[in-house]
């Protein structure tokens, strides 16, 4: 039986090496990317809208914690001012030296539960003066935050967290984000229920401006891009008209403090 030609089968062709996808300067269906920022007037409006979005979460934290600490409107105003100032510094540092994401670094709800445990500590229960109690609790919270942040700095700069994240799936962050988001319902929606005639129109207008009007008016992305600004302005004017019109003149004090536009007490209590 005659044999074939010498040599074995030809080796398979060498597979091309895998290369990452090329970086795109402009993503599809995205108006503004890192290399294509919006013009300055629109950027200022978008930044102000982002400020309005984070302002609610910034106000909720002191509103829920300061009364438990023994503070009043003056202390609440100082805490809100401090949160806004530190959030601005952190945001500037993040955009200049950090990941440069278009995000505002505000207060974190992950610290609310440990803060409440500090507030309810027994060593503060014997303090009678509310102002002294507020200062003592605030010092305890500040010390705990300093220690916690020091631990985070050590873990971050030592590279330990980078080694840990290799064994953690990105899906593991989903329960953490979900639990943090669900925690807002306990603080946010009861506040809406205290004045449903103002809170409910705000939610409805926000959905209408962001989800429905863009499908009707397709010329420019104005209503969906500035949905928060439009809805907040309309609802605030509506609430102010109810206030000056005497709609809450005979309402209970809790309803007036939640619905009227002149009963927050923050501006009057601010040092400036």
């Amino acid at each position: 039986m005659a044999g074939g030609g010498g040599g074995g089968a030809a080796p398979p062709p060498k597979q091309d090496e895998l290369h990452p996808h090329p970086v795109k300067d402009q993503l599809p269906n995205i108006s503004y990317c890192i290399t294509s920022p919006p013009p300055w007037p629109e950027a200022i409006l978008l930044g102000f809208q982002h400020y309005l979005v984070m302002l609610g979460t910034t106000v909720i934290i002191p509103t829920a914690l300061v009364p438990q600490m023994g503070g009043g409107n003056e202390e609440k105003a100082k805490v809100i001012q401090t949160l806004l100032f530190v959030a601005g510094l952190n945001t500037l540092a993040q955009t200049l030296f950090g990941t440069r994401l278009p995000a505002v670094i505000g207060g974190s709800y992950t610290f609310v539960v440990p803060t409440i445990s500090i507030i309810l500590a027994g060593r503060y229960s014997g303090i009678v003066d509310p102002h002294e109690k507020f200062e003592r609790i605030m010092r305890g919270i500040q010390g705990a935050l300093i220690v916690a942040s020091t631990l985070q700095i050590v873990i971050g700069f030592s590279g330990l967290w980078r080694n840990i994240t290799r064994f953690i799936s990105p899906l593991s962050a989903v329960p953490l984000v979900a639990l943090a988001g669900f925690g807002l319902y306990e603080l946010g929606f009861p506040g809406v229920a205290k004045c449903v005639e103002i809170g409910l129109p705000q939610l409805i207008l926000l959905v209408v401006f962001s989800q429905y009007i863009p499908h009707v008016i397709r010329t420019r992305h104005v209503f969906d891009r500035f949905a928060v600004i439009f809805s907040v302005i309309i609802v605030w004017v509506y609430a102010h008209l109810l206030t000056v019109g005497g709609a809450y003149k005979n309402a209970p004090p809790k309803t007036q403090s939640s619905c009227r536009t002149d009963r927050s007490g923050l501006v009057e209590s601010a040092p400036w």
Side-chain angles (χ1 to χ4, degrees):
M1 186 173 183
K14 185 177 180 181
Q15 186 178 5
D16 295 336
E17 295 182 359
L18 297 177
H19 296 282
H21 293 286
V23 179
K24 295 182 179 180
D25 293 336
Q26 187 68 36
L27 299 176
N29 299 325
I30 301 296
S31 299
Y32 304 118
C33 293
I34 296 179
T35 57
S36 59
W40 274 108
E42 189 171 353
I44 293 174
L45 288 177
L46 290 173
F48 179 71
Q49 180 174 248
H50 206 154
Y51 163 76
L52 291 178
V53 172
M54 62 87 59
L55 181 63
T57 58
T58 303
V59 172
I60 286 177
I61 295 177
T63 302
L65 298 181
V66 171
Q68 302 182 47
M69 300 166 61
N73 290 332
E74 181 178 356
E75 288 78 12
K76 188 189 302 183
K78 290 181 179 179
V79 174
I80 293 175
Q81 292 170 2
T82 304
L83 279 175
L84 291 175
F85 180 74
V86 176
L89 291 180
N90 290 338
T91 303
L92 288 176
Q94 188 268 140
T95 53
L96 294 177
F97 310 106
T99 57
R100 302 184 66 185
L101 294 175
V104 176
I105 309 300
S108 176
Y109 282 90
T110 56
F111 296 100
V112 171
V113 176
T115 302
I116 293 177
S117 65
I118 296 175
I119 294 174
L120 300 179
R123 60 178 178 271
Y124 303 119
S125 59
I127 303 176
V128 180
D129 186 14
H131 184 70
E132 181 183 358
K133 182 179 180 180
F134 173 80
E135 290 185 345
R136 294 281 297 275
I137 294 177
M138 182 59 71
R139 292 170 185 169
I141 295 173
Q142 290 174 346
L145 290 176
I146 291 173
V147 174
S149 61
T150 303
L151 179 62
Q152 291 181 343
I153 291 173
V154 171
I155 293 176
F157 280 96
S158 63
L160 179 61
W161 183 248
R162 181 177 64 250
N163 297 328
I164 294 176
T165 53
R166 297 177 181 177
F167 306 97
I168 299 178
S169 170
L171 295 178
S172 61
V174 174
L176 177 61
V177 176
L179 291 175
F182 292 153
L184 299 179
Y185 286 93
E186 183 180 358
L187 298 175
F189 275 84
V192 175
K194 291 179 182 178
C195 190
V196 68
E197 63 268 24
I198 294 178
L200 189 59
Q202 169 64 34
L203 294 177
I204 294 175
L205 284 177
L206 182 61
V207 173
V208 169
F209 278 120
S210 61
Q211 303 299 324
Y212 291 98
I213 292 184
H215 295 284
V216 178
I217 304 176
R218 299 176 179 271
T219 55
R220 297 187 64 183
H221 299 280
V222 176
F223 293 100
D224 55 342
R225 191 168 295 169
F226 301 100
V228 175
I229 293 180
F230 284 125
S231 59
V232 167
I233 291 176
I234 293 174
V235 172
W236 194 92
V237 172
Y238 162 66
H240 185 66
L241 291 177
L242 291 179
T243 300
V244 298
Y248 305 109
K249 186 176 182 180
N250 299 321
K254 290 185 177 180
T255 303
Q256 293 190 21
S257 62
S258 301
C259 299
R260 293 179 65 97
T261 58
D262 56 354
R263 292 297 175 88
S264 64
L266 298 179
V267 178
E268 294 84 356
S269 302
W272 45 269

